[in-house]
Amino acid sequence: MDVKTYREKAVISHLKQIRTSQEIYREITDTFAGNLDDLVSVLKTKSIPIPRIIGNPDDITNVKEIQYDTTYVSALDSLKNLNVNVDSMIYVPFSDNKKFSIEAGEIEYQNTKVNVVQVGTFFRDFMGPYADLRFEKYETGYSPDNMIKFGDLNAPNLTGNWE
């Protein structure tokens, strides 16, 4: 595996952890985190609501027998079970502890207000000595000014640009 691929895979691993964390954060707060410190703080201290329906809500003859119950599970424990390390995921690998950039907001999409988020970093932040324009001759489209990211501030999309 070449150096570029190795470094890129490490960054993608962190971005996937942050994406999973953002999805859990949204379950807790109904929005995305706009900064990494808030993301980590909520994940360490809050719980995920797990609703449970007892009975058959589609059976209109037994409406009185339907019950709703909500239990709560620690967000941090859930993330640990998914192999997410909330303390280290926010740092760009190979960057001397530089944090990923993060933006969140709300847009109108198809006449509905939706929450959006974008998290990423530039190749120059993690490519070390290979973050130089002279290396673009080896790979079409490579630039240290390109960003590796997931999400989009203009559409409700959590897809990574590496996928």
Side-chain angles (χ1 to χ4, degrees):
M1 179 181 323
D2 64 10
V3 173
K4 178 184 176 286
T5 303
Y6 176 74
R7 288 176 179 237
E8 215 172 312
K9 283 187 176 195
V11 170
I12 289 169
S13 173
H14 281 235
L15 285 170
K16 285 179 178 179
Q17 289 180 48
I18 295 171
R19 180 170 56 190
T20 299
S21 298
Q22 280 282 18
E23 290 170 332
I24 289 176
Y25 183 97
R26 184 173 56 176
E27 285 292 317
I28 296 168
T29 67
D30 291 329
T31 188
F32 289 114
N35 69 69
L36 294 169
D37 294 333
D38 187 39
L39 176 65
V40 170
S41 175
V42 167
L43 295 174
K44 284 184 171 183
T45 61
K46 302 293 182 183
S47 297
I48 306 167
I50 310 289
R52 186 173 68 142
I53 300 171
I54 303 166
N56 184 355
D58 295 329
D59 183 2
I60 58 171
T61 61
N62 291 323
V63 174
K64 293 180 182 176
E65 294 183 24
I66 299 169
Q67 297 176 349
Y68 299 91
D69 184 31
T70 303
T71 57
Y72 294 87
V73 178
S74 164
L76 187 60
D77 289 345
S78 297
L79 287 166
K80 283 180 183 174
N81 289 338
L82 296 170
N83 294 318
V84 174
N85 185 328
V86 296
D87 291 317
S88 66
M89 72 178 179
I90 62 175
Y91 297 104
V92 179
F94 313 106
S95 72
D96 294 327
N97 290 328
K98 182 176 175 108
K99 290 183 179 181
F100 285 93
S101 68
I102 182 171
E103 290 182 73
E106 186 178 80
I107 63 168
E108 189 165 320
Y109 185 80
Q110 298 180 347
N111 297 321
T112 305
K113 289 201 180 287
V114 294
N115 294 304
V116 293
V117 67
Q118 179 176 297
V119 179
T121 189
F122 293 100
F123 276 81
R124 69 175 171 262
D125 293 335
F126 65 89
M127 287 306 293
Y130 305 102
D132 192 300
L133 284 174
R134 70 177 184 225
F135 290 100
E136 69 185 345
K137 67 182 174 186
Y138 300 111
E139 183 178 331
T140 306
Y142 174 77
S143 171
D145 296 325
N146 287 345
M147 183 175 248
I148 186 165
K149 67 180 180 94
F150 75 83
D152 189 334
L153 295 175
N154 299 309
N157 179 357
L158 292 178
T159 303
N161 63 356
W162 64 87
E163 298 175 304

